[in-house]
Amino acid sequence: MHIRQSLRLGFTVMLLFGAAALHAQSYRSSVNDGNEAYRQQQYDAALKRYNQASKKDGERMESRFNSGNVHYRNGDVKSALKSYEEAGKRAASKEQLAATLFNAGNVFLDAAEKGGDNPMLQQAGNNDAQALRMEGYKQAIELYKKTLKLQPTDADARYNLTYARKKLEELQQQQKQNQNQDQKQQQQQKQDKQQDQQKQDKSKQEEQQKQDKNKLYSLHAPEVECISKGKAHKKYEFGVKVSVATTNRDNFVVGMLAEPGNPYDGHTLARAIEQVQRITGCTVQRSFVDRGYRGHDVKNHQVLISGRRRGMTLQMKKELKRRSAVEPVIGHMKTDGKLGRNYLLGALGDTINALLCGAGHNIRLILKKLRKNLLLLFAELLLTLWCCSEGLKKSVAAPTLAN
């Protein structure tokens, strides 16, 4: 299929009558001389004549229109489009404007066929030749559409529009196939990388000894650590350490922070306080922690550790006793909130799971309070209805006094 690129020369409408001015005759003769040079493929001479005509009469479009044709033949796409734009502004009829749009569409269509070799499209898109061609076809399609709105019977514009659409669809399908191939290659590379990592982890697990540090405990979750609990019934746990922060009165969770690497508890306190203040927007006045936080690195903040006796007011002692209430909160989140077993992948999955467990605990507390309040409201409503019915029965059964 070939493109019907019939670049149209300027309109040779005879405007010279007996009363025409010498200035108009000079403009027309320059255009005619340029047309003759154009037919003989003397493009430099033709351009010179068209420029002379434009200087003589800057409001007429024929000279600028034909200058665009010359620039196109010389391969100067930018100048061609600029000349067509100026000609379109000076078009005196729909036919003239349609011809200008048609030729501009041909310029973009030809640029799309050439791809990355065209300097105009290199400015419109990136350096990808396929993207440049697609951009050229899109521009050509829009210009052909505008041409057909002005001239619905233009067969050349309709033919070129169909051709440009077909080529654009082919490029889009090819681009989609290339993207699918790239995705398959990326997936294959990812699978190969995972397999290599699994082989390395497996060999590391086979070679590691009991006294080694940074041992691998799980092939599918290499971030898992062995956490010492210090309890008689459960000396160790395997997983990732999580810092839990709750309010002192209602046990609402206000901070959940996964701590990979099994850090010392005291070194996690500053990050936990910063998270609580960021989430709640409130300044933490006091923190109540267990004895595992001794030696913490928090300075400009009051931290009360379990077992402290000196310098304690009655209010502080009362609040410190509430610290142990966080233990059943952690237990409920492990059993009811899936904190005890994480099904999300990687260190990011540990962080997300911790946050979701904290949010789930708060939702359960809110629902519990709502159920309690609704039950009380329902009981009060039943009591009110019963009292009203009993009062009505007494008023109906009351005897009347005889006169």
Side-chain angles (χ1 to χ4, degrees):
M1 178 181 293
H2 91 197
I3 311 170
R4 296 182 185 176
Q5 290 187 344
S6 53
L7 285 172
R8 301 171 180 174
L9 285 172
F11 304 96
T12 56
V13 180
M14 297 301 296
L15 299 176
L16 305 178
F17 296 98
L22 180 62
H23 181 74
Q25 292 177 357
S26 177
Y27 172 84
R28 177 54 53 191
S29 75
S30 297
V31 171
N32 290 338
D33 291 343
N35 291 347
E36 185 61 29
Y38 184 89
R39 292 188 186 95
Q40 296 177 6
Q41 298 183 358
Q42 299 175 0
Y43 297 129
D44 293 337
L47 183 61
K48 184 177 179 181
R49 291 294 184 181
Y50 292 143
N51 290 336
Q52 290 175 356
S54 299
K55 291 179 181 178
K56 292 175 183 177
D57 192 346
E59 297 302 321
R60 300 179 68 175
M61 63 87 65
E62 290 91 341
S63 59
R64 300 181 187 275
F65 179 86
N66 290 351
S67 296
N69 295 345
V70 173
H71 287 306
Y72 171 74
R73 295 299 182 187
N74 288 333
D76 190 354
V77 178
K78 281 200 230 176
S79 300
L81 292 174
K82 185 176 180 181
S83 297
Y84 289 141
E85 183 181 1
E86 293 177 355
K89 293 178 181 178
R90 294 165 175 79
S93 63
K94 289 183 178 181
E95 291 78 7
Q96 292 181 347
L97 182 57
T100 304
L101 294 172
F102 176 78
N103 277 15
N106 288 343
V107 172
F108 277 106
L109 186 61
D110 183 64
E113 293 294 311
K114 293 178 180 178
D117 296 334
N118 189 279
M120 185 64 186
L121 287 184
Q122 288 177 2
Q123 295 179 359
N126 53 24
N127 293 326
D128 186 5
Q130 191 173 22
L132 296 177
R133 295 186 63 192
M134 291 178 65
E135 183 69 23
Y137 286 126
K138 290 178 182 178
Q139 295 286 349
I141 288 171
E142 292 300 320
L143 291 170
Y144 291 142
K145 285 181 180 179
K146 293 178 181 179
T147 303
L148 289 172
K149 284 183 180 179
L150 297 172
Q151 291 281 75
T153 59
D154 192 333
D156 291 337
R158 193 173 301 279
Y159 183 91
N160 286 6
L161 175 62
T162 305
Y163 177 83
R165 282 175 171 171
K166 182 178 179 181
K167 298 294 290 185
L168 180 61
E169 289 177 358
E170 291 177 356
L171 282 179
Q172 289 174 343
Q173 291 177 358
Q174 185 178 359
Q175 185 182 37
K176 189 175 180 180
Q177 292 176 357
N178 294 337
Q179 289 177 353
N180 293 335
Q181 291 179 357
D182 293 340
Q183 290 178 358
K184 288 180 180 179
Q185 290 178 357
Q186 291 176 0
Q187 290 178 356
Q188 185 64 35
Q189 291 176 358
K190 187 176 180 181
Q191 290 177 359
D192 294 342
K193 188 176 179 180
Q194 289 178 352
Q195 290 176 358
D196 294 339
Q197 185 65 35
Q198 287 177 359
K199 290 180 180 178
Q200 293 177 4
D201 294 340
K202 189 174 181 180
S203 62
K204 181 180 177 180
Q205 189 180 33
E206 293 174 352
E207 295 174 359
Q208 65 188 6
Q209 302 297 325
K210 183 177 181 180
Q211 65 274 11
D212 293 343
K213 294 182 178 180
N214 300 323
K215 289 189 289 187
L216 181 66
Y217 297 100
S218 175
L219 290 175
H220 71 279
E223 70 276 4
V224 168
E225 297 117 5
C226 180
I227 302 172
S228 177
K229 299 294 292 181
K231 298 178 181 177
H233 67 283
K234 183 182 288 188
K235 295 183 179 181
Y236 304 100
E237 277 187 350
F238 294 93
V240 176
K241 189 175 288 187
V242 175
S243 174
V244 181
T246 63
T247 58
N248 191 264
R249 179 176 296 179
D250 297 319
N251 286 335
F252 276 96
V253 177
V254 290
M256 293 286 291
L257 189 62
E259 297 286 356
N262 193 15
Y264 170 61
D265 291 353
H267 296 164
T268 66
L269 184 57
R271 292 192 294 271
I273 293 173
E274 190 274 331
Q275 185 196 37
V276 171
Q277 293 181 154
R278 186 178 69 251
I279 292 175
T280 62
C282 302
T283 303
V284 178
Q285 297 179 354
R286 295 193 190 98
S287 299
F288 306 95
V289 297
D290 59 21
R291 297 184 181 183
Y293 284 84
R294 287 178 295 186
H296 59 80
D297 53 359
V298 177
K299 296 179 180 180
N300 300 325
H301 187 78
Q302 189 176 17
V303 180
L304 301 180
I305 302 175
S306 296
R308 178 174 172 177
R309 295 290 183 269
R310 295 181 181 179
M312 296 285 289
T313 63
L314 185 62
Q315 180 65 25
M316 288 181 182
K317 291 180 181 179
K318 184 179 179 181
E319 291 177 349
L320 188 56
K321 286 182 179 179
R322 286 280 305 161
R323 189 220 63 84
S324 58
V326 73
E327 302 296 341
V329 171
I330 297 173
H332 281 297
M333 284 195 290
K334 283 185 176 181
T335 56
D336 303 334
K338 309 300 182 184
L339 184 63
R341 190 168 187 83
N342 176 27
Y343 293 93
L344 302 180
L345 181 64
L348 179 61
D350 297 331
T351 303
I352 295 172
N353 185 67
L355 291 172
L356 293 178
C357 288
H361 176 77
N362 291 341
I363 292 172
R364 286 192 296 272
L365 285 182
I366 294 171
L367 292 176
K368 183 179 178 181
K369 290 183 180 295
L370 287 176
R371 283 194 296 266
K372 183 178 178 181
N373 292 335
L374 287 174
L375 286 174
L376 291 175
L377 180 62
F378 186 67
E380 186 176 355
L381 181 61
L382 288 178
L383 182 60
T384 303
L385 292 174
W386 181 80
C387 291
C388 291
S389 62
E390 288 295 325
L392 183 60
K393 288 179 181 178
K394 289 180 180 180
S395 63
V396 171
T400 57
L401 298 176
N403 293 331

